[in-house]
Amino acid sequence: MSREGIRKLLHRLRLSWTRPTYKLVKGDPVLQAAFEKELEFIKKTNHGRNRSASCR
């Protein structure tokens, strides 16, 4: 989709594109690593559920 198409879609939905005015401080690397590990586990377990449900 083109930029103009996205702009028109946002306009039809009465939304607009804005850029963030600030950046968040970098997070704790230990907590980020734990989150990534948990996220991978969730992806793996949910992928198995979706796959078996579609085979029925």
Side-chain angles (χ1 to χ4, degrees):
M1 184 173 240
S2 68
R3 287 183 187 185
E4 184 63 14
I6 293 171
R7 188 195 67 78
K8 287 179 179 180
L9 175 65
L10 289 172
H11 182 72
R12 281 194 302 266
L13 296 172
R14 296 184 179 185
L15 298 172
S16 63
W17 173 261
T18 59
R19 294 194 178 270
T21 56
Y22 60 91
K23 292 184 180 181
L24 297 175
V25 178
K26 188 168 182 161
D28 182 6
V30 175
L31 291 175
Q32 286 180 347
F35 171 78
E36 288 173 3
K37 186 175 178 181
E38 184 178 356
L39 182 61
E40 285 303 315
F41 175 76
I42 291 170
K43 285 181 184 178
K44 288 177 184 176
T45 56
N46 284 339
H47 181 68
R49 288 182 189 163
N50 292 339
R51 184 182 237 173
S52 63
S54 64
C55 295
R56 292 181 188 170

